[in-house]
């Protein structure tokens, strides 16, 4: 069975040699990016210039599976201090919703979690996270709008440490990756938490909207430079998003996708599994 985004291509060219331009267009439309598309086309060409569409699709699957790493172990709590997760991203990607779903994912595994409403800029951002907290029965720490989000995260770490809460999830303000001053503020949040624990935050997760397309790679590069990303949360896979951004980011930057969001419900969230992803989403 060919990948979803190649099914039309395979059906169209099943009777003869694959059309190289059509294959390239299909790969780019799937948001695999120029670099990964070029890599796949070179791998297909090694099979011969008259390769058929089915073989081309098989090579595509093989190369994507080579790029995507197998699922790593889930982040486990630290023995003597809170494990901090910094959730970052541009506006509108589903960052606050993903923070809440991630907190639920931890608590469903039997671990305590504290959410921090560190988005002190967007109107109603604090109330949105509080609503999720009430819905999921997870505590939310908040400050004032316009307040110092770095100081809030600093105090939240103290609270989590004192109360022996294993996980601290900081929902930071959405910011355009092109605004250097906002990215510097994000770096400040990371540095401030690091005063408690030089290894913190343990995870820096970028929330990426699957419908963003090739711009997702640019976002990942900028945020990676600012905070050192450890992974991606890929959201809105229930819509028109192809999911190829996960492959492109992994191929170009070596940043793995850790979680995926497939809907608005709390349970529409899962740890990333490359086989499931390739077989059911791409």
């Amino acid at each position: 069975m060919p990948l979803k985004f190649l099914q039309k291509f395979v059906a169209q060219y099943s009777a003869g040699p694959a059309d190289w331009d059509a294959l390239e267009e299909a790969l780019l439309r799937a948001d695999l990016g120029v670099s990964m598309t070029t890599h796949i086309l070179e791998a297909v060409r090694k099979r011969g210039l008259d390769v058929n569409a089915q073989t081309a699709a098989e090579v595509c699957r093989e190369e994507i599976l080579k790029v995507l790493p197998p699922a790593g172990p889930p982040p486990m709590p630290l023995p003597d201090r809170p494990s901090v997760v910094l959730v970052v991203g541009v506006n509108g990607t589903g960052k606050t919703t993903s923070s809440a779903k991630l907190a639920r994912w931890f608590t469903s595994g039997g671990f305590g979690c504290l959410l921090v409403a560190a988005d002190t800029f967007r109107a109603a951002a604090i109330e949105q996270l509080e609503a999720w907290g009430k819905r999921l029965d997870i505590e939310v720490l908040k400050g004032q709008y316009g307040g110092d989000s770095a100081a809030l995260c600093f105090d939240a770490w103290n609270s989590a440490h004192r109360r022996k809460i294993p996980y601290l999830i900081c929902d930071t303000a959405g910011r355009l990756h092109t605004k250097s001053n906002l990215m510097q503020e994000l770096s400040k949040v990371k540095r401030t938490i690091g005063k408690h624990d030089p290894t913190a935050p343990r995870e820096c997760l970028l929330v990426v909207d699957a419908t963003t397309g090739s711009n997702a790679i640019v976002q990942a590069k900028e945020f990676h430079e600012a905070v050192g990303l450890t992974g991606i949360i890929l959201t809105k896979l229930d819509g028109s998003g192809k999911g190829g951004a996960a492959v492109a980011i992994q191929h170009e930057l070596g940043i793995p996708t850790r979680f995926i969001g497939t809907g608005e419900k709390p349970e529409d969230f899962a740890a990333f599994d490359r086989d499931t992803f390739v077989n059911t989403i791409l």
Side-chain angles (χ1 to χ4, degrees):
M1 183 78 175
L3 301 171
K4 283 185 177 180
F5 71 88
L6 287 176
Q7 288 176 3
K8 182 178 178 181
F9 166 79
V10 171
Q12 186 173 358
Y13 297 100
S14 60
D19 182 280
W20 293 96
D21 290 337
L23 176 58
E24 181 177 16
E25 181 181 356
L27 296 172
L28 290 173
R29 284 183 176 274
D31 300 332
L32 291 174
V34 174
S35 178
M36 186 65 192
T37 294
T38 301
H39 173 80
I40 290 174
L41 289 173
E42 289 176 353
V44 174
R45 284 193 174 95
K46 289 180 180 178
R47 300 291 183 98
L49 294 178
D50 59 346
V51 67
N52 62 38
Q54 184 62 47
T55 300
E58 291 170 0
V59 174
C60 288
R61 177 186 289 272
E62 291 170 5
E63 294 303 317
I64 288 173
L65 285 171
K66 286 178 184 177
V67 167
L68 295 175
M76 297 301 293
L78 299 170
D80 58 350
R81 59 196 185 280
S83 184
V84 181
V85 181
L86 202 63
V87 182
V88 304
V90 302
N91 296 303
T93 57
K95 185 172 47 55
T96 296
T97 298
S98 295
S99 296
K101 288 180 178 181
L102 179 60
R104 177 189 177 275
W105 191 83
F106 283 130
T107 57
S108 65
F111 300 108
C113 188
L114 186 62
L115 279 163
V116 185
D119 183 351
T120 59
F121 299 99
R122 178 172 62 89
I126 295 173
E127 288 79 4
Q128 183 186 2
L129 192 62
E130 281 187 307
W132 270 110
K134 290 178 182 177
R135 182 178 180 182
L136 301 174
D137 194 24
I138 297 173
E139 184 180 356
V140 176
L141 288 186
K142 64 179 182 178
Q144 299 295 321
Y145 280 111
D148 187 343
S149 56
L152 176 62
C153 292
F154 183 87
D155 292 341
W157 191 98
N158 274 330
S159 179
H161 185 243
R162 184 178 66 253
R163 296 155 61 192
K164 294 182 169 51
I165 298 175
Y167 290 101
L168 181 68
I169 299 178
C170 302
D171 175 31
T172 66
R175 61 200 73 220
L176 289 173
H177 54 286
T178 54
K179 301 292 185 181
S180 59
N181 60 321
L182 295 179
M183 297 303 283
Q184 288 169 6
E185 287 179 3
L186 191 58
S187 299
K188 178 186 173 184
V189 172
K190 181 178 179 180
R191 290 195 310 272
T192 302
I193 296 173
K195 293 177 181 178
H196 282 305
D197 174 7
T199 68
R202 192 177 183 193
E203 300 281 355
C204 287
L205 301 178
L206 174 68
V207 180
V208 172
D209 181 338
T211 65
T212 301
S214 59
N215 194 42
I217 302 172
V218 179
Q219 292 176 15
K221 286 179 180 177
E222 297 295 332
F223 277 95
H224 193 39
E225 288 182 7
V227 294
L229 299 175
T230 61
I232 301 294
I233 299 176
L234 192 65
T235 63
K236 304 185 183 181
L237 285 168
D238 54 325
S240 60
K242 307 290 195 306
V247 183
I249 292 171
Q250 176 72 59
H251 182 251
E252 294 194 32
L253 302 175
I255 302 170
T257 297
R258 304 291 296 281
F259 298 94
I260 60 171
T262 55
E264 290 299 319
K265 297 177 182 177
E267 60 270 21
D268 295 334
F269 187 82
F272 179 80
D273 177 82
R274 66 174 180 181
D275 294 311
T276 301
F277 179 77
V278 169
N279 291 332
T280 64
I281 295 175
L282 274 182

